[in-house]
Amino acid sequence: QHKSEALINLATEVNKHEELYANLEHKSDQDISLFLSHLKGIGRWSIEYALLRGMGRLDVLPGDDVGIKKNLKNLLELDEIPGYDKIK
């Protein structure tokens, strides 16, 4: 339910203020993160995922993604699953 509400809120916000969202791809990762973080239900993972997948920012990795953490542990042959800061 929370995810549905967040998506509806995001769609409503974009629809109301389309001009604010039209040129996001020209902003820095940090500026986009600050801009989107004020939206209810949009957190660090959502923002980093949008930067990576939606905007093609290949230098961004969603450090809270469980699948990424497990795969990095296996790929790098780590003793434990890395935390967010280690992934960054």
Side-chain angles (χ1 to χ4, degrees), residues 12-77:
T12 302
E13 177 74 14
V14 170
N15 193 39
K16 275 194 224 174
H17 306 287
E18 188 175 337
E19 68 283 353
L20 295 175
Y21 294 86
N23 294 312
L24 277 182
E25 70 271 6
H26 301 296
K27 297 183 182 296
S28 70
D29 295 347
Q30 184 176 6
D31 286 345
I32 293 170
S33 295
L34 289 171
F35 180 76
L36 295 176
S37 65
H38 80 278
L39 297 169
K40 183 178 179 184
I42 305 298
R44 182 168 67 185
W45 182 89
S46 299
I47 292 168
E48 291 174 345
Y49 194 80
L51 286 168
L52 174 65
R53 299 287 301 207
M55 297 183 178
R57 307 280 176 104
L58 300 179
D59 58 328
V60 176
L61 189 66
D64 292 320
D65 190 283
V66 174
I68 289 173
K69 288 180 176 187
K70 288 179 180 178
N71 285 320
L72 281 175
K73 178 190 179 290
N74 295 334
L75 178 69
L76 301 175
E77 300 177 358

